[in-house]
Amino acid sequence: MTSVWKKSAQSLLAVAAVAASALFAPAAGHAAPSCSPVAPTEAAAAAAAKACGITVEALDHRSATSSLQVQADGTAVLYVSTYAWTQVSSGYPTTSFWTTNRDAMRSGREYGTTRVWRSFVRFDGLAPVTGTQILNATVTLTLNHSASCAATPVDLWKTQDLTAPATTTWANSLGYWQTKVASVSTAANTTCGSAPHAVTFSGGVTNAVQQKAAGGGADITFGLRALDENDQLQWKKFAPTGAFLEIWYQTA
């Protein structure tokens, strides 16, 4: 079988239509370990394809709305980069920020004020993982600014599905918060020499996505909150663009 490295919509459909374990069996004469990627990257998948004489097809998650990548070991990766987001503030309890203050996803007590902000991100396009075994899942966002020069925590929660983001407010979303799934301590403050950077949340994200995969559904919503919402040094602003959910799963 000739090794192929494709990036196209047709590639995505072709891979999604066939169980990975059936499509990507190691070629004769190759030991199993040499046909499995060492690292979960597209480059490793391409190397495995070349070494084993198999086909690896993918869409690049940086330039497409979503992608499916099947690895030589029979696992698949789904990058979900289509999402809807909004934020809420205790200072404006009945205000929707669906069309205003869209320059950042805010979390924590706004520095110099008593206002607390929280943000919601709904990732769409989860249909391919329905009924599969989730091996690993992470959420990645870009931190643009933090009040503190030193690392402070920010929490990621699994929340109620964000079915009406345009009308979500502080007052009507207080019951949305279900389970804290991850926490990261980080900082990005250019006055201290700390540049904006990607922040990846893992931990309980895998279990949250597994529950969604078991129950079905086209999307999953996560929320950002400061660990201590009374501490203004935990104030953070995340980029409103470039968020993505990465899911490694077993198709068969």
Side-chain angles (χ1 to χ4, degrees):
M1 200 185 303
T2 303
S3 71
V4 178
W5 184 241
K6 295 181 181 178
K7 292 188 177 183
S8 67
Q10 290 77 19
S11 170
L12 171 62
L13 295 174
V15 175
V18 185
S21 60
L23 188 62
F24 298 109
H30 290 278
S34 67
C35 295
S36 297
V38 176
T41 64
E42 292 183 1
K50 183 177 180 180
C52 302
I54 61 175
T55 301
V56 176
E57 303 186 40
L59 282 176
D60 185 86
H61 69 279
R62 297 293 183 175
S63 60
T65 55
S66 63
S67 70
L68 181 68
Q69 172 186 318
V70 178
Q71 303 291 321
D73 62 358
T75 61
V77 186
L78 177 70
Y79 299 95
V80 180
S81 55
T82 54
Y83 61 93
W85 74 274
T86 193
Q87 56 192 339
V88 297
S89 174
S90 64
Y92 313 95
T94 60
T95 298
S96 164
F97 291 96
W98 180 242
T99 58
T100 60
N101 289 49
R102 304 292 293 178
D103 60 310
M105 300 182 191
R106 295 163 170 82
S107 70
R109 178 182 167 187
E110 185 177 351
Y111 193 80
T113 77
T114 59
R115 293 189 292 268
V116 175
W117 291 77
R118 300 171 177 175
S119 292
F120 297 94
V121 187
R122 186 191 71 204
F123 292 99
D124 304 318
L126 265 65
V129 302
T130 299
T132 66
Q133 178 187 356
I134 307 302
L135 305 178
N136 189 55
T138 59
V139 170
T140 299
L141 305 167
T142 297
L143 177 63
N144 278 347
H145 174 75
S146 62
S148 174
C149 292
T152 58
V154 58
D155 294 340
L156 187 76
W157 286 65
K158 169 67 179 69
T159 74
Q160 177 178 314
D161 290 342
L162 195 63
T163 56
T167 58
T168 300
T169 68
W170 178 273
N172 66 26
S173 67
L174 289 174
Y176 282 19
W177 303 83
Q178 297 174 343
T179 307
K180 184 168 78 171
V181 296
S183 185
V184 173
S185 287
T186 187
N189 190 317
T190 55
T191 61
C192 314
S194 178
H197 58 273
V199 176
T200 297
F201 297 88
S202 52
V205 177
T206 300
N207 186 59
V209 175
Q210 180 66 78
Q211 291 178 0
K212 177 63 68 170
D219 55 69
I220 188 170
T221 304
F222 294 98
L224 289 168
R225 290 174 53 168
L227 176 63
D228 182 351
E229 294 184 317
N230 292 313
D231 182 2
Q232 65 178 356
L233 290 179
Q234 294 185 22
W235 165 245
K236 292 180 176 64
K237 296 198 298 185
F238 290 84
T241 58
F244 68 91
L245 171 64
E246 178 179 349
I247 306 169
W248 282 79
Y249 64 99
Q250 185 68 51
T251 58

